[in-house]
Amino acid sequence: MSGGGLLVAGTTSDAGKSVVTAGICRWLVRQGVKVAPFKAQNMSLNSFVTREGAEIGRAQAMQAQACRVEPTALMNPVLLKPGGERSSQVVLLGRPVGEMSARGYHGGRQQRLLGTVLDCLEQLRGTYDAVICEGAGSPAEINLRRTDIVNMGIARGAGLPVLVVGDIDRGGVFASFFGTVALLSPEDQELVAGFLVNKFRGDVSLLEPGLDMLHGLTGRRTYGVLPFRHGLGIDEEDGLRVSLRGTVRESVVAAPVGEDVLRVAVCAVPLMSNFTDVDALAAEPGVVVRFVDRPEELADADLVVVPGTRGTVRALEWLRERGLADALRRRAAEGRPVLGICGGFQVLGEHIEDDVESRRGRVDGLGVLPVRVRFADEKTLTRPVGRALGEPVEGYEIHHGVADVLGGEPFLDGCRVGQTWGTHWHGSLESDGFRRAFLREVARAAGRRFVPAPDTSFAALREEQLDRLGDLIEQHADTDALWRLIESGAPQGLPFIPPGAPA
């Protein structure tokens, strides 16, 4: 017998679907329910590697952590990794299967994947008591409904009730709720059970007349009003905005342990991937993280991070156009700390041979690390473990570039020359002992009297954040009604709201 299920859809992108899904998952697991997350199709450069070596969206890995289960490829069978304005790498069941234009994907390939994603969902529902699914964008994207496999397509295919989340902080939430339902076909509308208001500020009693009118207009109830909370954007999908407001960056309020703060500047390269690598730095009391795109913003930085990117050659060109390339070379020559991660490590090397990603052939790097990179057709997807600076380290690798390290001191899988460090390992800074040792090195080189806190646990901070999400659901949603939805499906006899989807 299949377990229960729910699709969390949204009136817009970034309405809060990822965090609401995680919150419902954490609430359920605290009730003793065996639960798993699912997102049929994710478009994100923020990804993760599972134990079996599959690449999935990092949001789904975070949601799996909320469920207290290991993430697997079943939880995110299709991942699209944008490589430009019009094309993406398609990752199917954790492995890349090629590049495709948006027109080509929506023109036929996407619809052919519906059977695959429904099979993955059914496998999860056969194993878990409940599967909480996350939609993408809005279910009322009428131009894409015919080929949809992530919103109403998956809801219809699996008979899932749908909860629509709206961000009231943006304004227009009542119109968005009503319009979302009214643009769906009668068959789709039958599955839309109701609404959840997200990011409300103020007295809920002032909102209640509007919720009553919405119920009168649509025949659908509101299942909860979640208050606005800072710092709940855990590992969401994409966009610099997400990272700047994210998780621990806003939740840490402790003063520095030492006399000085440590300033970290992150180069906001195009197609930035896994920007969550720096969240672990921001978790440290006294570490100030900001994203920059001008060379003068590096001047007072104690550490500059060149992060991962889906477009290494494009990032190199951007660094040169902005004057950041010269600034990075000067820093390296002066012995001022620079850390390159994945694509950021590659750009610091001597040259890149790329016939895979940009197809630009040989391109000179910044030349500050003795490394030569060749892009391979096969993507490296691993979960390495090791030691550095006398501390154990874990990470994950997601890259086509193969680095030939020709000198320097060994550093994880890369190298170190002076105070310039490079590695392909994402997530290494989440290893607490290593992060503290690295920050001590940076502070010493920068001449700062900064001392890492002895007891900061990034894993514990993550758990606290996930519990905060679970608390929001438990305290501000009608959890009894939510459970009935998950267990029994959408209520019968929900009214049709005209005009419905266009013919």
Side-chain angles (χ1 to χ4, degrees):
M1 179 179 174
S2 293
L6 174 70
L7 176 70
V8 178
T11 56
T12 61
S13 295
D14 203 28
K17 296 182 293 291
S18 294
V19 293
V20 167
T21 299
I24 293 173
C25 287
R26 177 49 61 102
W27 159 65
L28 285 171
V29 80
R30 294 195 308 206
Q31 309 310 307
V33 177
K34 188 179 178 186
V35 59
F38 180 78
K39 185 162 186 172
Q41 173 193 292
N42 199 346
M43 178 172 278
S44 180
L45 292 174
N46 203 18
S47 60
F48 183 76
V49 179
T50 67
R51 294 278 179 205
E52 71 268 29
E55 185 180 8
I56 66 171
R58 191 159 168 122
Q60 279 61 65
M62 174 270 292
Q63 290 161 357
Q65 186 178 349
C67 296
R68 298 180 179 145
V69 298
E70 271 292 323
T72 73
L74 292 176
M75 296 172 184
N76 179 207
V78 181
L79 174 64
L80 304 178
K81 303 194 73 176
E85 293 297 321
R86 297 187 178 181
S87 68
S88 295
Q89 183 180 66
V90 181
V91 179
L92 180 61
L93 293 172
R95 306 299 302 185
V97 294
E99 297 279 336
M100 188 165 288
S101 69
R103 181 180 292 274
Y105 183 69
H106 290 288
R109 177 65 183 270
Q110 182 184 37
Q111 195 170 25
R112 292 196 295 273
L113 293 173
L114 181 59
T116 299
V117 300
L118 285 171
D119 286 345
C120 292
L121 176 56
E122 192 55 35
Q123 286 184 60
L124 290 174
R125 294 181 77 181
T127 306
Y128 291 90
D129 301 329
V131 178
I132 308 303
C133 307
E134 180 189 342
S138 162
E141 309 282 4
I142 54 179
N143 55 316
L144 302 176
R145 176 62 185 92
R146 182 177 62 83
T147 58
D148 171 51
I149 65 170
V150 65
N151 289 307
M152 299 313 300
I154 197 80
R156 283 268 292 279
L160 295 173
V162 178
L163 183 69
V164 180
V165 177
D167 178 356
I168 197 168
D169 199 47
R170 293 181 171 193
V173 75
F174 292 115
S176 299
F177 282 145
F178 183 87
T180 296
V181 179
L183 281 176
L184 300 178
S185 69
E187 296 82 4
D188 287 349
Q189 287 193 24
E190 287 175 3
L191 295 172
V192 178
F195 313 108
L196 186 76
V197 176
N198 192 28
K199 301 182 187 176
F200 180 71
R201 305 173 191 249
D203 184 346
V204 175
S205 66
L206 300 176
L207 189 66
E208 286 169 353
L211 300 179
D212 291 340
M213 285 186 272
L214 183 67
H215 184 271
L217 288 165
T218 66
R220 290 157 175 86
R221 57 166 298 180
T222 298
Y223 284 76
V225 177
L226 307 186
F228 186 96
R229 292 286 186 269
H230 283 284
L232 293 181
I234 302 181
D235 290 7
E236 291 190 69
E237 289 168 2
D238 263 330
L240 185 57
R241 225 166 14 92
V242 171
S243 190
L244 285 172
R245 68 147 190 255
T247 58
V248 294
R249 190 162 297 117
E250 293 185 43
S251 64
V252 173
V253 294
V257 174
E259 296 179 46
D260 290 342
V261 299
L262 206 65
R263 296 173 175 84
V264 179
V266 184
C267 296
V269 296
L271 298 173
M272 183 165 43
S273 61
N274 290 76
F275 44 76
T276 46
D277 282 335
V278 298
D279 279 346
L281 294 178
E284 288 285 349
V287 175
V288 179
V289 176
R290 68 184 189 274
F291 288 78
V292 304
D293 60 4
R294 296 177 298 181
E296 56 268 28
E297 293 177 296
L298 304 189
D300 68 343
D302 302 309
L303 169 67
V304 174
V305 177
V306 188
T309 172
R310 171 82 166 86
T312 304
V313 170
R314 182 175 167 187
L316 258 172
E317 293 172 343
W318 182 86
L319 290 168
R320 288 185 168 118
E321 290 165 1
R322 296 273 176 154
L324 287 160
D326 289 339
L328 287 167
R329 276 193 287 259
R330 283 195 300 273
R331 282 189 69 93
E334 294 165 1
R336 302 179 66 200
V338 176
L339 171 64
I341 302 173
C342 200
F345 166 41
Q346 295 167 9
V347 306
L348 297 176
E350 295 174 1
H351 68 249
I352 295 166
E353 294 278 353
D354 181 11
D355 296 317
V356 175
E357 193 175 76
S358 69
R359 296 182 172 83
R360 293 280 296 277
R362 178 169 169 147
V363 178
D364 288 338
L366 300 188
V368 296
L369 288 177
V371 175
R372 295 172 184 172
V373 176
R374 174 184 55 82
F375 273 61
D377 291 327
E378 187 75 15
K379 182 185 277 192
T380 298
L381 295 168
T382 62
R383 291 274 292 270
V385 295
R387 293 186 69 83
L389 302 178
E391 298 287 346
V393 192
E394 297 182 17
Y396 56 100
E397 296 185 51
I398 306 170
H399 54 91
H400 283 280
V402 178
D404 184 12
V405 179
L406 304 174
E409 299 175 44
F411 174 63
L412 303 176
D413 69 327
C415 66
R416 168 190 181 180
V417 174
Q419 290 299 324
T420 302
W421 318 63
T423 177
H424 276 127
W425 290 23
H426 293 291
S428 62
L429 294 165
E430 295 179 20
S431 297
D432 297 327
F434 166 71
R435 181 181 65 255
R436 287 192 278 269
F438 176 69
L439 289 175
R440 281 193 292 269
E441 283 268 336
V442 168
R444 181 186 60 77
R448 296 289 186 190
R449 290 170 296 182
F450 168 85
V451 179
D455 55 356
T456 301
S457 166
F458 187 74
L461 285 169
R462 272 294 165 86
E463 280 297 302
E464 288 174 16
Q465 291 292 92
L466 292 169
D467 277 332
R468 288 177 69 199
L469 296 180
D471 292 344
L472 277 180
I473 298 299
E474 190 167 332
Q475 296 167 11
H476 300 282
D478 186 338
T479 51
D480 289 341
L482 268 182
W483 178 246
R484 286 195 296 273
L485 267 189
I486 293 165
E487 194 174 36
S488 305
Q492 297 297 304
L494 292 169
F496 171 70
I497 307 302

